Amino acid sequence: MIVYALRCSCGHEFDQWFENMADYDAKKASGLACPSCGGAEVSKAIMAPRVGKAPSVPAPMPACNPAGCGNAMCPMSQMA
Ligand SMILES: [Zn+2]
């Protein structure tokens, strides 16, 4: 499933789910309509599509000198 931010010619924006890009093309060809005004002039808004759930970005590890950074809590000092 993929959600697109769509915008009608009046400027209404709304999200709609599609099976995939081909499903979007098929639904657009058969006639997408704005839920606010019913306008059929609907196109994708300038927005990156969200696919499912966004992956969480792991926090970067603190930069430590392998010889030891002087921090007792430093994970590098645990490996010595
Ligand atoms: Zn509209």
Side-chain angles (χ1 to χ4, degrees):
M1 294 292 282
I2 186 169
V3 63
Y4 283 123
L6 304 178
R7 182 199 293 265
C8 83
S9 58
C10 306
H12 301 124
E13 291 189 9
F14 56 100
D15 291 343
Q16 184 147 339
W17 285 93
F18 300 95
E19 294 293 331
N20 47 43
M21 288 179 66
D23 185 41
Y24 166 81
D25 289 337
K27 283 189 166 62
K28 181 162 172 46
S30 64
L32 284 167
C34 170
S36 297
C37 68
E41 289 291 320
V42 173
S43 60
K44 273 187 277 190
I46 305 301
M47 176 181 169
R50 301 191 300 275
V51 179
K53 188 177 178 184
S56 59
V57 179
M61 290 290 289
C64 289
N65 186 325
C69 64
N71 181 353
M73 299 299 291
C74 176
M76 295 302 290
S77 66
Q78 305 295 318
M79 299 193 302

